């Protein structure tokens, strides 16, 4: 399925949730109520988000200003570069201080979205020294960070009984939207006010908004797993048409029971009075539902709620009608997931005596970390700052997972002690360091602090590999040496002039444990976490002959998209905006947010890509790849989210790009008027420049002309193909390749989320065609959305 969820699709119903306008000092103000159900004005959220870029007063990306970064370090609101946490990172996440052993969770603290939001707030202050700055809510749920922003003369709005009064904000002021996001009504108001808007919304939160918008456009009620009074959920609900918010599995069960059997309508509405859209009617609004979530909720609970709703709809309407009544899109935040998984891992360490959880008391994701330890039965203390710890009295004031504030005396026992430490996604490293400093002082009154030591700079992306099981290393991989051949997309020449050559890429010598591999009885598939998580290995099970090319960061099975000119230059001519999943042509890898094996036989990756020619990270684009092995084929689900403001022109897009061993020299496909009827196939030997074909069965294969065996790729949404080959026939040189890509022509537009599926198999041409036919038959019965090409306005075969 290839779906564009964004600007080019026809607008759907406006949100039922609105904001009651008022008057103050002759200007319109906005009141945001604590109860999301209190507001009634309808606003088209998607249209509002699109329109912000056209104002010239909208900032959505950080500038990486060095002065702001230095001030963040001075204030201790960024990553530790020389303190205890930094030194622990370089010491295997462990520290010994006298009788105290500290073990730091593998994933902890600031996520990249939070760090990005704080950085953008500091940059806004530095860029607007003479303007009044406001934040519509706490920038993140951390008291010390918010206090630092107040000290920078940035006013943070807080809810009173009537909401927030923005009447004093006017033209020329600067308004910052926090990491949780702002409501559609707030965005609309500030657009009209003529203020400068700095939007620090986490892209993962924006992804949830896109899902809720999709629900609204397709007339599904959004079931939002979250807390109805949480700022993020309030913002998410503002993008919905009809919605109901469930806090936990118990409330989700109430919804499922009502769907199945009905019940006391008045009692149901009374229970969810603050958690439903205006005019919500459970008798009519629960026939079609889609699931979304507050990004900080427990991953397992969100997944279970999804299964509950799926089972309920299947039982009521039958498997054939499931997709007409239930929509599920993956909106679980990677950072939340990684910290929870790391927490589950560390609490199983038998050497741990107690747990310390550091994070804001109003931080939802931190509360769930505390809950995990409590459910395990491990003594755990949640503090929001070191100020909660009384060194002289060996006492601390801490919070439980259920919200009770408690004081515990003599909480640190005498003798040797092993403490596990983690921190919420809104917690800077210095907060952890200050807490541990007080722990050490209780255990040793003579403790004088940890001496600073310069450590490696922190990449906010921490690749999650703790869950990955890496099989036996590969025995062979083609070396990669740099010659005069680069990467070529659908509209480029494959030759790179000598002046444009760069140093050779890293040669991955075999065996190489850095690859992440999954294997079943038929296939072996692998990704390279150090080169953007691209699919770099494809072979038969047990084989050490890689059928992929892997010459540079452009030579994988991966996502790649094209937009308008951006001033970059490649191959001796002006290039264009071209985010590539794995990296740039100079082998600068993408920024990896996730690269793991979440369950046997599957791989998940998530990255910010790099611009192919311009080299820079494209932070407004997030690319996800989910790989699953199923018997004789691999199922690839690709997702691209575009949070940028530029409206790109329609271009031929690769779905996906596939680079294979040059010895697979014969291209095979079907282009006739009677697909899937076993008709004769076309066989081609493409040259060194792009050749374009129709593929009416939506698949193509490169096979070895001698053996007839090769690789087939089927993208059900595609109807056209581009292909070329570099190098002489039979060449085994790693600089030579056979390339193809199923293609469509469409534009990358603001707010867009693109999802498509493709399938890969190995074998003879007949085996490849039969396998794809089998999958097609199964998908038509069980997962018809995989075969559809919907909501892609103006998309055409790229011929």
């Amino acid at each position: 399925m290839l779906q564009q969820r964004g600007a080019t699709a026809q607008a759907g119903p406006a949100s039922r949730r609105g904001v009651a306008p008022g008057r103050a000092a002759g200007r319109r103000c906005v009141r945001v109520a604590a109860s999301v159900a209190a507001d009634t004005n309808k606003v088209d959220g998607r249209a509002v988000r699109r329109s912000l870029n056209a104002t010239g007063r909208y900032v959505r990306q950080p500038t990486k200003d060095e002065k702001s970064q230095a001030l963040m370090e001075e204030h201790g609101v960024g990553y530790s570069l020389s303190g205890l946490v930094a030194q622990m990172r370089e010491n295997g996440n462990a520290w010994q201080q006298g009788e105290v052993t500290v073990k730091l969770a593998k994933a902890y603290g600031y996520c990249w979205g939070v760090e990005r939001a704080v950085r953008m707030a500091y940059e806004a202050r530095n860029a607007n020294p003479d303007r009044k700055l406001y934040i519509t809510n706490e920038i993140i749920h951390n008291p010390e960070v918010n206090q630092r922003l107040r000290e920078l003369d940035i006013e943070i709005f807080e809810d009173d009984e009537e909401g927030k009064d923005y009447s004093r904000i006017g033209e020329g002021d600067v308004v910052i939207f926090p990491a949780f996001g702002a409501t559609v009504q707030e965005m609309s108001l500030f657009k009209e006010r003529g203020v400068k808007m700095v939007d620090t919304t986490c892209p993962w939160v924006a992804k949830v908004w896109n899902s809720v918008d999709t629900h609204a456009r397709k007339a599904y009620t959004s079931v939002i797993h979250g807390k109805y009074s949480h700022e993020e959920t309030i913002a998410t609900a503002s993008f919905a048409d009809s919605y109901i918010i469930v806090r936990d599995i118990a409330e989700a069960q109430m919804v499922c029971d009502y769907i199945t059997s009905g019940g006391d309508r008045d009692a149901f509405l009374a229970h969810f009075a603050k958690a439903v859209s205006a005019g919500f009617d459970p008798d009519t609004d629960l026939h079609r539902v889609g699931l979304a979530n507050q990004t900080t909720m427990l991953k397992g609970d969100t997944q279970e709620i999804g299964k509950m709703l799926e089972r309920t709809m299947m039982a009521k309407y039958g498997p054939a009608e499931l997709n007409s009544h239930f929509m599920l899109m993956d909106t679980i935040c990677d950072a939340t997931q990684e910290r929870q998984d790391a927490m589950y891992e560390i609490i199983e360490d038998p050497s741990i005596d107690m747990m310390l959880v550091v994070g804001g008391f109003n931080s939802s994701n931190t509360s769930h970390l505390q809950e995990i330890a409590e459910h395990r039965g491990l003594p755990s203390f949640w503090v929001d700052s070191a100020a909660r710890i009384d060194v002289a009295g060996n006492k601390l004031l801490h919070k439980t997972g259920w919200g009770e504030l408690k004081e515990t005396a003599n909480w640190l026992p005498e003798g040797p002690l092993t403490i596990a430490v983690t921190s919420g996604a809104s917690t800077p490293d210095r907060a952890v360091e200050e807490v541990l400093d007080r722990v050490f002082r209780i255990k040793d009154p003579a403790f004088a602090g940890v001496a600073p030591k310069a450590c490696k700079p922190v990449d906010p992306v921490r690749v999650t590999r703790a869950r990955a099981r890496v099989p036996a290393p590969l025995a062979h991989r083609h070396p990669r040496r740099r010659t005069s051949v680069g990467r070529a997309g659908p509209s480029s020449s494959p030759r790179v002039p000598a002046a444009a050559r760069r140093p050779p890429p890293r040669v991955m010598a075999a065996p190489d444990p850095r690859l992440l591999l999954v294997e079943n009885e038929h296939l072996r598939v692998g990704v390279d976490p150090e080169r953007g998580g691209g699919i770099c290995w494809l072979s038969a099970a047990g084989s050490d002959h890689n059928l992929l090319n892997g010459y540079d960061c452009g030579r994988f099975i991966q996502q790649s998209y094209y937009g308008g000119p951006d001033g970059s230059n490649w191959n001796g001519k002006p290039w264009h905006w071209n985010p590539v999943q794995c990296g740039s042509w100079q082998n600068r890898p993408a920024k990896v947010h996730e690269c793991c094996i979440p369950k046997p036989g599957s791989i998940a990756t998530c990255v910010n890509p790099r611009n192919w020619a311009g080299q820079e990270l494209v932070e407004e684009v997030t690319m996800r790849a989910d790989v699953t092995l199923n018997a004789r084929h691999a199922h690839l689900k690709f997702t691209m989210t575009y949070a940028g403001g530029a409206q790109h022109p329609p271009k031929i897009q690769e779905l996906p790009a596939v680079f294979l061993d040059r010895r697979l020299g014969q291209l095979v496909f079907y282009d006739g008027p009677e697909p899937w009827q076993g008709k004769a196939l076309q066989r081609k030997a493409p040259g060194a420049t792009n050749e374009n074909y129709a593929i009416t069965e939506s698949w193509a294969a490169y096979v070895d002309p001698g053996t007839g065996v090769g690789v087939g790729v089927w993208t059900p949404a595609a109807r056209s193909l581009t292909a070329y080959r570099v190098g002489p026939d039979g060449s085994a040189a790693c600089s030579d390749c056979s390339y193809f890509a199923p293609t469509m022509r469409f534009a990358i537009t603001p707010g867009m989320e693109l999802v498509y599926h493709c399938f890969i198999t190995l074998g003879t041409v007949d085996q490849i065609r039969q396998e794809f036919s089998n999958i097609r038959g199964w998908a038509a019965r069980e997962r018809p959305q995989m075969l559809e090409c919907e909501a892609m306005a103006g998309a055409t075969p790229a011929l």
Side-chain angles (χ1 to χ4, degrees), residues 157-171:
F157 276 89
E158 297 181 359
D159 231 345
D160 58 27
E161 292 182 357
E162 298 182 356
K164 303 172 191 173
D165 183 357
Y166 293 132
S167 59
R168 63 183 177 275
I169 299 178
E171 186 173 353

Side-chain angles (χ1 to χ4, degrees), residues 600-618:
S602 67
I603 303 175
T605 66
C606 182
V607 308
N608 288 129
R610 283 197 184 271
N611 206 7
W612 178 248
Q615 315 295 324
E616 74 277 7
L617 281 170
V618 187

Side-chain angles (χ1 to χ4, degrees), residues 104 197 335 348 435 441 443 577 620 661 670 682 689 746:
L104 185 64
M197 295 163 284
E348 295 301 326
V435 166
R441 290 179 189 277
K443 296 291 288 183
W577 185 80
E620 67 270 23
D661 188 314
Y670 179 75
Q682 293 286 343
T689 58
F746 55 86

Side-chain angles (χ1 to χ4, degrees), residues 768-783:
I768 289 170
R769 193 181 203 183
Q770 185 60 54
E771 181 67 14
F772 291 151
S773 178
N774 293 342
I775 302 169
R776 177 175 175 269
W778 168 85
R781 296 188 305 272
E782 305 292 339
R783 294 289 187 272

Side-chain angles (χ1 to χ4, degrees), residues 314-328:
M314 189 178 298
K316 182 165 184 174
Y317 297 103
E321 295 297 320
L322 176 62
N323 293 312
S324 297
H325 295 275
F326 178 60
M327 179 182 294
L328 179 62

Side-chain angles (χ1 to χ4, degrees), residues 668-683 696-697 699 765-766 769:
V668 185
F669 58 91
Y670 179 75
D671 63 354
E674 300 178 81
W676 306 108
Q677 300 299 315
K679 302 296 183 180
L681 299 167
Q682 293 286 343
R683 297 176 184 268
T696 52
E697 289 185 348
W699 67 271
V765 170
D766 288 343
R769 193 181 203 183

Side-chain angles (χ1 to χ4, degrees), residues 589-648:
K591 178 185 285 186
V592 179
H593 298 293
E594 178 182 19
C595 189
C596 65
I597 298 178
K599 59 184 178 180
S602 67
I603 303 175
T605 66
C606 182
V607 308
N608 288 129
R610 283 197 184 271
N611 206 7
W612 178 248
Q615 315 295 324
E616 74 277 7
L617 281 170
V618 187
E619 293 188 307
E620 67 270 23
V621 173
T622 302
M623 295 181 181
R624 184 175 183 91
D626 295 287
V627 182
T628 305
L629 296 186
N630 293 301
R632 295 184 178 276
H633 69 268
H635 173 198
L636 279 53
K637 178 184 177 184
F638 290 114
T639 304
M640 185 278 289
T641 303
Y642 177 55
Q647 173 80 37
H648 291 281

